[in-house]
Each structure stands twice: as structure tokens, then as C-alpha cells.
Amino acid sequence: MKYVYAIIPFSKAEKLNLTDHRQSVNDLTLINCDDLLTDGSASESFSDKVERLGGKILTRTEAIQFINNK
């Protein structure tokens, strides 16, 4: 599976119980597509879910940079 990454506000990640096992920096939490499989409707795309949560899709390189800038 090709992973797609995103950052979402820490408060949203906390409500989804993602903060214990995902990298957070400056009130943003890095997630991948699997983290939102059970959030929202099955017909909603990952990008739609990220947008609804107030986040931003990242490339693999951007995700690595996010982790390295902690």
C-alpha cells in the first residue's frame, strides 16, 4: 500500500486517539491514511477527511521534513 501523509491539528488528533502513537510538533500531528480509515463515511476520501479536520496533505518528503524539524 502506498501511504499518504497529512498533518492535522493536535486537538483533532487527540479526539481520534492518535496522539499517543503519532509524531506531534507545534500543535500539529503527523498521520497517515490508515489513521482515518474508521473516521467519517466510507465514501469520504482521505483528502476530504483531512480537509474536514483542518489539516494538509503532505508528500513523503514533507512528512520526513516534519519529523526532522521536531
Side-chain angles (χ1 to χ4, degrees):
M1 167 176 224
K2 179 181 174 186
Y3 282 100
V4 179
Y5 302 94
I7 49 174
I8 61 172
F10 181 85
S11 61
K12 303 286 182 161
E14 196 169 38
K15 288 179 183 176
L16 295 168
N17 296 317
L18 298 174
T19 56
D20 288 342
H21 61 280
R22 293 291 178 234
Q23 185 74 36
S24 295
V25 177
N26 298 330
D27 289 333
L28 295 171
T29 301
L30 179 67
I31 63 167
N32 67 47
C33 53
D34 287 348
D35 292 327
L36 298 182
L37 286 176
T38 60
D39 180 60
S41 71
S43 63
E44 190 178 22
S45 70
F46 178 68
S47 59
D48 288 341
K49 292 177 184 185
V50 170
E51 184 177 331
R52 176 174 45 81
L53 294 168
K56 176 187 172 194
I57 300 288
L58 300 179
T59 64
R60 182 180 181 278
T61 301
E62 290 170 327
I64 291 168
Q65 289 172 342
F66 179 84
I67 291 169
N68 289 334
N69 288 326
K70 63 180 180 172

